[in-house]
Structures are given as C-alpha cells and as structure tokens.
Amino acid sequence: MNLFLKKLAAHCLLLLPAAAAFAQKTGGGTVADIKDQPIAFANIVLLTKADSTIITGVTAKEDGTFSISLPQKPCLVRLTSLGYRTLTLPADTLLHSPRLLLESTDSLLGEAVVSARRPISRLEAGAIITTVENTVLSKSGNAKDLLSRVPGLNKTSDDNIEVLGKGTPLFYINGREMRDPKELERLRSEDIKSVEVIQNPGARYDSSVGAVVRIRTVKRAGDGFGVDAIANFYQAFYPKESGQLNMRYRHKGLELFAEGNFTQWKMKSTSQTVQTIFSDHTWQQDFTQRISFDYKRVNATAGFNLDLKGESSLGMRYAYDRQLPFKASGSLNSQVFEDGAASDVLRSEILMNHEAEPTHQLNAYYYGKFGKQELNIDADFYMQRANQSQTSDEQSQTADDRKVDTDNPIKSITGAAKIHYGVPLGGGKFGVGVQASLTDRTDDYIVKNATEETAAWGVQSSSTELRQQAVAGYAEYARNIKKWNFSAGLRFEHVSFDYFANNVKQPGQCRTYDNFFPKLSLAGPVGKTQLMLSYSSTTQRPSYNDLSNNVTYANRYVMQGGNPYLRPSFTHSVSAVSVWKFLQANVTFQQVKDAVIMWAERVPGNSSAVKISNINKSFPTLSASVSASPVIKKIWHPTWTLYLMKQWFEMSMDGLGTVKSKNPIFNGSWSNSFELPKKYTVMLDMSYSSAGNYQNARLTRRDHFQLSLGLRKSWLKDQLTLTVRGYNLLNKNQWDNTIYTNLTQMNQSTISEGRMLGVTLQWRFNASHSRYRGQGAGSGEIQRLSSGSKKN
C-alpha cells in the first residue's frame, strides 16, 4: 500500500516539472514571540538577495510551524506578522528547523499596553480564519458576543448566529460538535484562539450542513485543578438569571471535566393578527393573542479525555439536560366578520403544561494518528421524552361554546456512528468515510374529551411513529497547486423512512431517497486579494414535527398541523468570497428545490376554517455581503457589515390571484470596541433590518434599528471580569409581517420585551477549555428531533 502511494505521488509530481526542478530542498521552523508563545498565521516569504524580489511564500500554521521549499541559489527569508517587528535572515537558516522569535511592537497608551495587532481574517484551505487571541475581539465578552463581530457572521433578531448567505451553521469547539447553543454564552472570548468560517463544508459533513464555524480555544499549559464560574443577570420586563460552574482536572495525558448550568426566566408577548380566509365567503378574523410563561432549565456535562501515544486520543462525554415542568397561560380574543359584516366574537383561555423527562446524550470518540495517516471514530446516542398538555376553553357570542383538552406525549431516540480515514495522496490529502444512523420517534395526540362533536370540529386523536435508517459514504480530496488550494468531495446518502399511523404502516407516506451531494472549491490569491469560488449541494429534511399527523386547535376558524407528505428540499449553491486586508465580500446564488413553507388547507365540512400546515415550493435566491474591520488610532476597532438578500418567489392564491414575493431585504450592522487604559473596554453596537420578502412572507414594519452599549473591566490578571450591557436602548420592539398562503392572508404585528440591562460576572482559577475531540456522528438527526428543520 505504501509503495503504491509513493508511486502515485511521484506520478502526480511529474505534472509540475517546473516546480519540481525549482524546489530542491526543504526548510522550516517555528515562529514564536519573545515569551516563546507560538505566533499563528505569520507570513514567511523568500526573497532574492539582489533586489528582494519575492520568490515564493507560505503561512505558518496555528502552532507557528511551517515548511517551505528552498531554491538552490542563496536567498533571504522574511518573517512578518501584524503586531511584530519584521525579521530577515539567510534562507539556509531554515534547514535546521529553528525557533524564530519575533519582537512585539506594542506601544504605551497611558498606563495600558495597547497591542497594534488587529483581528486577522484570511482565506486558508477553503476557510476564512479570524485570529482572536491577543486582538480586540478577545475582549468581546462571551463567544456569542465575539461571533457577532466576526466578519461574515451575523446575530439574528432571535439571538442566533448565522453565516451570511448560508444560514445557521454547525458549530465545533476544538473539534467537538457543539450540541447546546448556550455553550456560546458560557465560553469566554479570552479563551478563544481563532474562528474558522467554512462556507462550503466538505463531503464528510451531513448533507444538511450548509456552513460550519470552528472555534479553537487557547491551550493553557500545565496540569492541576481549574475552576471557571459565571453569573448572569438580565432585567427587561421580567428578570432572567443564569449561573454556571466549570471544573477540570488534568494530570499528564488525562483530563477530567464537569460542567453545570442553571437558567430561569419569564417571558410575555402580545401579537395582533388579521386573518382573511378566501372561501365561498370571505371570512376575516381580528384576534389578539397574549402569552406568558416561566422557564427553568438545568443541564450538566461530564466526561474524560485521554491522550495516547503520539497525537492520538480517546474520550467520552455525557450530557444531561432537563427542562423543568412549567405552565404557560394565554388568551386568544377575536372578532369574526363574514363578507364584511360582524359574525361572532370569540374569547379563549389557553393553559399549557409542559413536562419533560431528562434528555440524555452520550458521545464517544477515538482519534488516532499514525505517521501521516489519521483515523476518527465517533458514536452518538440521544434520548428524549416529553409531554405537553393543553386546555382551550372557548366562548362564542353567537354559537355554542367549545372546550378542547389534549395531551401530546413524544418519545425520541437515535443512535449514530461515523468513521473517517485520512491519508496523504499525490501531494494533497485524501479522506474517505462512512456514517450510519437509526431513529425512532413516537408522537401521540390524545383528545381527552373526545366525542363525535370534537371530531366534527376537526380535532381527533392520532398516533404516529416514524422510523428512519440512514447510511452515507463519502470521499474528499484537497491539495495545494502552487498558491491555489483545490478541494473536491462527493457524498452519497441512502435514507429509508417508514411512517406508521395508529400502528398501521402507511405505504403512501413511506419514502426511500438515494442522493449524491457534490462539493467543489478553489481558493488562492489574485494580486493582493484572496479569492474563493465554490459549489455545493445540500438538503434540508422536514423536522419530525412538520411530518406529524397531529392537529392543534387554536379556535374554530384556525388549526395547525403537520404534513406527512412533505419532501426534503435540495439547494444548489454557487459562491464567491474575497478577502483584501480588512475587507471581505461574498456573493451567493442558490437554487432551492422543494423548500418547506407555510401553507393552508380547508377543514372538511367547514368552509370558514383552515388548517395551517406546510408544503414544498421551489425558487432561487441571491445574497451579497461586504464587511470592513479596520483599526483606527490603535484604540478604535469598528466593524461594518452590509448584507442584501433577494428571492424570486411567486404563488397563486384564492381571492388575490398571483402574488409575487421578490422585494430584497437589507441588513446592516456597525460594531465598535474602544480599548481604554486600566483594562477598560467600551462596546457600542448598532444594527438595522429593512422590510422585504422572505419565502411567502412580506416583512413590512420592522423596528429593528437596535442600539446597545457595554462596559467591560477586568482585575487580577483577567481572572475576574465584570461586563455591564444595555440592550435595545431605543426600545424598538415591534415588527409587522404579512403571510400569504393559497387560502389565507395573515397580517401580524408582534410586540416583545423592550430595553434590557445585562450584568455578567466571571471568575476563573487555572481555567481552560476542554481538549475533548469528539466530532459527533448524528448531528442532523438530533437537530430534527429536538427542534425544527435545519437551515441551509
């Protein structure tokens, strides 16, 4: 096998005779600062002695190491990194793999030392890498605050992080897949070394993954016991509190870790909706919905990581998550009009009880490195059980009153495994792998006061079981050709889906899918600009909730349910990304086939009522973004981001004919950090979202001009940190939208909580982030079980 690989590599090198003749010997070394700490992504350039003409160049890895081909003739090597003095040496020095120390160019400002370095964003091997350590980004607060300032990323109105033009990414922390989004709030920005944004993930990732964000933390040296404690308090209309305790013990190659977290908060919201149903008559319902509830959640994680011989390691991680029982109450009051004339007045009181057993999740991994070959093995197990009871007591002014009392017990279980093997081949890197998962979900909807009358209303008990088996295989290859990086991959997925209704298999709703998902990317320099072109094919499978047969009763005119006939959606994406100094730009075109969108269907025997569900529709989209993150006067670090998204979507609906949905949406943000003496940092952030169209919705009034202000101060060599922030200082908390379906038009106005004050206090002792390297094997299935559909 080794002889075959050597021969194949030799044949591939024959394709580059000029390069082979030029590179006669190899040098290398490690770039570090005067404290002997590695400097990531330093530039190493070979120059002619006569006139300093550039011969070739490379970039150091994260650990500061590099290798470079040296010509036969004597030349010079120049090492540069922003924030350090340039070092020039004879190139032959690199033949002995020396440790090359660069002197910092830090300058004094008052009593504080302010580094001249800025966040460095660059393209490398298909990823945009932003250096965080020793930059202003490390003073952002937590990881979510940091990511909202990274060029190419954006914090949405619902407080999630998305990749512009690609949607919600899959997050990894030190190679471990992040399961709980709250981890981003628990991870300190000071502990982050770099952030990698991969806009065209390789074939090794699930086909539902449209983007990946890899977070690498700072490696803290030394063994012993470490503690990290965080307390958060937020005050809006209601208070919100959370606390976290992280503990780690390291001895030689063994790491033991445990984390605990508690969160509690209250919420209330008010929405006003005008719903028009186009039927044999025009039915209009003007209703106001109010809801409030208490939320409490406890989660804990424990595990170990063991370093083996060389760079190999293995580990296991168990996560316990418990959403404590809570009650939610609400009201739904509406006026009903038939052909413009008053018809009825409805008043509904709604009470919900949510009880969930603990969610259990277990991950185990093995990472082995044998010479230049690597082997990754990951396994996941996930189990969740919950029940939601709902009572709707509806009073009518002109008709009989109604009461609907339901239970909705759900049980989900999945297991997954993944094996990846990588080996150098032909001057590049070749990877191959297999992945498999089994999922079983039971979803019962029980009408406790079921009668012939409730059945006539369209509310019936149902029992649904969904079983899925998925097997995938993939191959991917990447290599550098001169200064350009080329990567290609192909993934095949076989998915078998069985659907049971009331314990009877439904052949018409069972599905089998066999699909290929190709990936291509090319990245390299064009003058002083770094450019990446890519193509990818991804899928978005409907969530298990979307596939359910359940029908939830809102009132006698509107109900909500799933659609077991939904198909997966497929997206073909073509992207271009460029990076020049502190500027980034991105353009993405997507052709979406069978996207899952909101739709409506008539309730049999009642022309005035509809069931809101989902259906598949196809349409193209175009998005573009540009970001700038300069440093001004060494203390001011602004980041500007502009984003534009446009779609071409149209549909036919009763009463209105063809409705075109193609107005663009514009988003803009301006983040500012000011580094002041005595370890003070001031943060001033602004963002704006315009009106426009998204799928079959028209976003009209959007009070999304947000303004926030924060102050951060640290003591005891950054062991104790206090952050105070004011959010939504302009109290913009209302947005309006109109949703069109084939039968309805819904104009909705929602008012949420306004201004909010947040205080975070964090203390750490000898703390560091876990070195756990499990990558996860069942991300797609766990996401579909625990929430809605994944975004592309």
Side-chain angles (χ1 to χ4, degrees), residues 633-651:
K633 299 295 184 181
K634 297 183 179 180
I635 63 170
W636 179 25
H637 306 263
T639 297
W640 292 278
T641 299
L642 302 177
Y643 173 68
L644 183 71
M645 191 280 288
K646 178 178 174 59
Q647 65 178 19
W648 289 264
F649 179 93
E650 62 180 49
M651 53 177 283

Side-chain angles (χ1 to χ4, degrees), residues 149 151 582-584 626-630 638-642 669-671:
R149 297 168 179 269
F582 56 81
L583 294 175
Q584 284 187 32
V626 60
S627 300
S629 52
T639 297
W640 292 278
T641 299
L642 302 177
S669 64
W670 181 9
S671 300

Side-chain angles (χ1 to χ4, degrees), residues 382-625:
Y382 174 89
M383 183 171 67
Q384 180 186 50
R385 188 195 299 263
N387 178 61
Q388 181 166 300
S389 301
Q390 178 172 316
T391 300
S392 178
D393 195 347
E394 178 183 295
Q395 298 180 349
S396 170
Q397 192 176 74
T398 61
D400 294 335
D401 296 339
R402 293 182 178 183
K403 184 175 182 179
V404 178
D405 196 1
T406 62
D407 276 340
N408 183 202
I410 298 175
K411 180 181 179 181
S412 304
I413 185 170
T414 189
K418 179 179 179 180
I419 300 176
H420 173 82
Y421 173 72
V423 62
L425 179 65
K429 192 169 184 179
F430 176 74
V432 64
V434 294
Q435 187 173 354
S437 66
L438 294 172
T439 302
D440 187 278
R441 176 184 173 99
T442 57
D443 186 346
D444 296 332
Y445 191 72
I446 303 168
V447 182
K448 293 189 288 187
N449 62 332
T451 62
E452 292 183 359
E453 188 177 25
T454 59
W457 299 343
V459 182
Q460 301 184 54
S461 297
S462 63
S463 177
T464 303
E465 182 177 5
L466 303 96
R467 301 174 187 170
Q468 178 176 291
Q469 302 177 32
V471 179
Y474 63 87
E476 56 186 15
Y477 182 72
R479 70 158 296 170
N480 292 323
I481 303 175
K482 293 186 177 179
K483 295 182 179 181
W484 288 82
N485 176 267
F486 170 77
S487 66
L490 183 65
R491 183 182 181 93
F492 172 77
E493 291 187 356
H494 168 81
V495 179
S496 177
F497 184 83
D498 293 330
Y499 196 100
F500 297 82
N502 300 318
N503 298 317
V504 178
K505 188 174 183 178
Q506 307 295 312
Q509 298 170 23
C510 299
R511 298 283 189 272
T512 298
Y513 299 99
D514 294 300
N515 301 106
F516 287 95
F517 300 93
K519 308 272 187 176
L520 292 170
S521 72
L522 180 66
V526 178
K528 295 184 179 181
T529 301
Q530 295 171 303
L531 179 68
M532 181 176 70
L533 304 174
S534 63
Y535 163 78
S536 66
S537 174
T538 57
T539 188
Q540 177 183 351
R541 296 186 179 89
S543 72
Y544 287 96
N545 284 332
D546 290 339
L547 294 169
S548 174
N549 258 330
N550 300 346
V551 176
T552 303
Y553 185 88
N555 64 25
R556 64 192 66 198
Y557 296 99
V558 59
M559 304 172 197
Q560 188 169 358
N563 178 4
Y565 294 97
L566 284 175
R567 301 181 300 275
S569 66
F570 295 90
T571 301
H572 298 275
S573 301
V574 178
S575 297
V577 180
S578 64
V579 177
W580 179 77
K581 293 186 178 180
F582 56 81
L583 294 175
Q584 284 187 32
N586 177 24
V587 178
T588 299
F589 175 79
Q590 294 183 329
Q591 180 63 51
V592 186
K593 179 184 178 183
D594 291 334
V596 176
I597 68 169
M598 183 183 294
W599 210 242
E601 57 185 78
R602 302 189 193 282
V603 175
N606 187 355
S607 63
S608 63
V610 294
K611 184 184 84 169
I612 302 299
S613 185
N614 293 293
I615 200 172
N616 295 110
K617 287 287 184 181
S618 302
F619 56 94
T621 67
L622 179 67
S623 61
S625 66

Side-chain angles (χ1 to χ4, degrees), residues 283-294:
W283 295 87
Q284 179 177 310
Q285 182 178 188
D286 301 353
F287 58 84
T288 300
Q289 183 176 18
R290 295 182 176 87
I291 188 169
S292 62
F293 63 85
D294 296 335

Side-chain angles (χ1 to χ4, degrees), residues 119 121 130 136-155 161 627-629 637-641 669-674 681-686 708-710 725:
S121 294
T130 299
V136 67
L137 287 179
S138 65
K139 307 296 179 63
S140 299
N142 59 38
K144 181 176 285 189
D145 297 326
L146 161 66
L147 293 175
S148 67
R149 297 168 179 269
V150 171
L153 300 180
N154 178 57
K155 183 187 286 189
I161 299 295
S627 300
S629 52
H637 306 263
T639 297
W640 292 278
T641 299
S669 64
W670 181 9
S671 300
N672 300 272
S673 294
F674 300 90
T681 302
V682 176
M683 296 154 286
L684 177 65
D685 301 329
M686 290 168 276
S708 65
L709 178 65
R725 290 178 183 267

Side-chain angles (χ1 to χ4, degrees), residues 224-326:
F225 182 72
V227 179
D228 190 0
I230 305 173
N232 295 296
F233 175 80
Y234 299 92
Q235 180 66 55
F237 190 87
Y238 290 114
K240 173 184 176 181
E241 304 95 13
S242 67
Q244 179 189 353
L245 179 65
N246 305 326
M247 295 180 292
R248 279 172 180 77
Y249 175 76
R250 286 179 179 158
H251 181 67
K252 295 182 178 180
L254 175 65
E255 177 192 50
L256 304 175
F257 59 88
E259 302 174 0
N261 184 71
F262 173 74
T263 302
Q264 66 174 2
W265 49 280
K266 289 184 176 182
M267 190 201 78
K268 74 168 187 175
S269 66
T270 302
S271 64
Q272 295 180 324
T273 303
V274 177
Q275 175 181 277
T276 305
I277 302 173
F278 301 100
S279 183
D280 51 350
H281 297 272
T282 299
W283 295 87
Q284 179 177 310
Q285 182 178 188
D286 301 353
F287 58 84
T288 300
Q289 183 176 18
R290 295 182 176 87
I291 188 169
S292 62
F293 63 85
D294 296 335
Y295 175 91
K296 295 180 180 179
R297 184 179 180 185
V298 177
N299 51 58
T301 302
F304 75 91
N305 186 80
L306 179 63
D307 293 335
L308 304 176
K309 184 178 179 181
E311 297 183 35
S312 301
S313 63
L314 60 84
M316 183 175 291
R317 179 186 180 96
Y318 167 74
Y320 170 99
D321 192 354
R322 176 74 188 278
Q323 183 173 307
L324 301 181
F326 72 86

Side-chain angles (χ1 to χ4, degrees), residues 26 52 63-64 75 81 109 263-264 277 282 286 324 351 358 364 469 472 504 530 554 627 655 680 725 731 747 768-769:
T26 302
S52 296
D63 59 2
C75 61
S81 182
L109 177 65
T263 302
Q264 66 174 2
I277 302 173
T282 299
D286 301 353
L324 301 181
L351 179 65
Q469 302 177 32
V504 178
Q530 295 171 303
S627 300
Y680 282 98
R725 290 178 183 267
N731 202 33
N747 301 313
S768 61
H769 209 70

